[in-house]
């Protein structure tokens, strides 16, 4: 399909739901006209139409929080778009990872677990230091204590793995991941930082394999 197949509204706009390609998290809802969509396709980064300012808006042009496009998909009626992106920095003008942060309703089953959700929880613990929290205890003790726990949990993973105890290994890996994420928060390392590093290693690994095959 092409841009000509899309259905723009009476103002010449089409809603675009922007999603983080790595986490699958909805980042923002913005609008595009034909020109901004054409610019996005040509440049490979999101460009929107600002309804409040009545002008083109290249995401990250002033803030540096650029969104590199992976895919653009139209819905069945071709009057809305989903854009998956690799983002640099927060998506929201308030400085948050996503524009969607104010829950209106959460079922009794609660929100599904996610690594990003755990990271945000740990960030909150570091900022508020609630009394009686083990996470608070770690942050108050500081880097040396956190590093010591990472070392201890790494040893526990090795012991469980050596014993070929799958359930125990899973348990110890979860403990290790938790303490590593506490370390990440303490050092200001984001989940996105780690994701980008893994992605770069994937490319390098692929090239190395190709070289070995030739």
């Amino acid at each position: 399909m092409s841009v000509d197949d899309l259905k723009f509204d009476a103002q010449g706009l089409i809603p675009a739901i922007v999603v983080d390609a790595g986490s699958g998290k909805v980042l923002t809802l913005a609008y595009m006209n034909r020109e901004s969509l054409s610019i996005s396709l040509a440049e490979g980064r999101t460009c929107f139409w600002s309804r409040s300012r009545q002008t083109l808006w290249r995401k990250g042009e002033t803030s540096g929080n650029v969104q590199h496009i992976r895919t653009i998909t139209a819905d069945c009626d071709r009057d809305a778009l989903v854009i998956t992106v690799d983002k640099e920095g927060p998506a929201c003008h308030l400085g948050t990872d996503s524009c969607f942060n104010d829950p209106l309703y959460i079922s009794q089953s609660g929100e599904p677990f996610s690594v990003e959700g755990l990271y945000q929880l740990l960030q909150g613990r570091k900022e508020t230091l609630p009394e009686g929290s083990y996470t608070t205890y770690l942050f108050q003790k500081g880097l040396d204590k956190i590093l010591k726990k990472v070392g201890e949990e790494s040893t526990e993973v090795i012991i469980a793995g050596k014993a070929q105890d799958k359930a125990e290994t899973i348990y110890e890996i979860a403990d290790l991941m938790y303490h590593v994420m506490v370390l990440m928060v303490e050092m200001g390392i984001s989940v996105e930082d780690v994701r980008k590093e893994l992605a770069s290693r994937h490319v390098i690994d692929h090239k190395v394999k190709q070289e070995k095959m030739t």
Side-chain angles (χ1 to χ4, degrees), residues 20-139:
D20 189 315
S23 67
K25 186 174 185 178
V26 175
L27 300 177
T28 192
L29 169 63
Y31 290 84
M32 291 181 163
N33 59 14
R34 286 179 179 271
E35 184 180 3
S36 67
L37 178 53
S38 296
I39 291 172
S40 297
L41 292 169
E43 297 183 355
R45 50 186 283 187
T46 54
C47 177
F48 305 110
W49 176 258
S50 172
R51 295 180 299 169
S52 59
R53 293 182 284 117
Q54 290 292 295
T55 186
L56 291 170
W57 161 40
R58 283 177 168 85
K59 176 63 177 173
E61 190 169 28
T62 56
S63 66
N65 301 324
V66 177
Q67 296 172 344
H68 301 281
I69 298 171
R70 282 207 194 179
T71 64
I72 300 179
T73 306
D75 72 338
C76 57
D77 293 324
R78 297 185 176 179
D79 59 1
L81 302 173
V82 172
I83 304 176
T84 60
V85 301
D86 293 314
K87 64 182 181 64
E88 296 183 18
C92 182
H93 72 285
L94 296 177
T96 55
D97 187 53
S98 166
C99 293
F100 294 89
N101 296 298
D102 299 320
L104 182 63
Y105 170 78
I106 300 176
S107 70
Q108 291 183 350
S109 60
E111 294 181 347
F113 173 84
S114 69
V115 172
E116 286 79 8
L118 175 58
Y119 186 87
Q120 290 174 6
L121 175 66
L122 295 175
Q123 280 184 313
R125 291 288 192 271
K126 182 175 173 60
E127 292 168 3
T128 60
L129 297 175
E131 188 176 349
S133 165
Y134 173 66
T135 307
T136 295
Y137 164 77
L138 290 175
F139 284 130

Side-chain angles (χ1 to χ4, degrees), residues 135-199:
T135 307
T136 295
Y137 164 77
L138 290 175
F139 284 130
Q140 288 177 332
K141 287 295 183 180
L143 182 60
D144 286 346
K145 181 63 176 180
I146 295 169
L147 290 171
K148 181 180 178 182
K149 290 301 299 182
V150 170
E152 290 174 356
E153 297 303 335
S154 298
T155 301
E156 294 296 330
V157 170
I158 293 170
I159 293 171
K162 183 65 175 177
Q164 298 188 31
D165 187 330
K166 183 176 180 179
E168 184 66 17
T169 303
I170 292 172
Y171 181 88
E172 297 299 344
I173 288 174
D175 271 355
L176 176 59
M177 288 183 66
Y178 160 79
H179 286 92
V180 166
M181 292 188 70
V182 171
L183 174 62
M184 289 168 60
V185 172
E186 177 69 14
M187 295 183 63
I189 300 170
S190 70
V191 175
E192 186 65 21
D193 290 335
V194 178
R195 183 179 289 115
K196 287 180 178 178
E197 176 63 22
L198 289 170

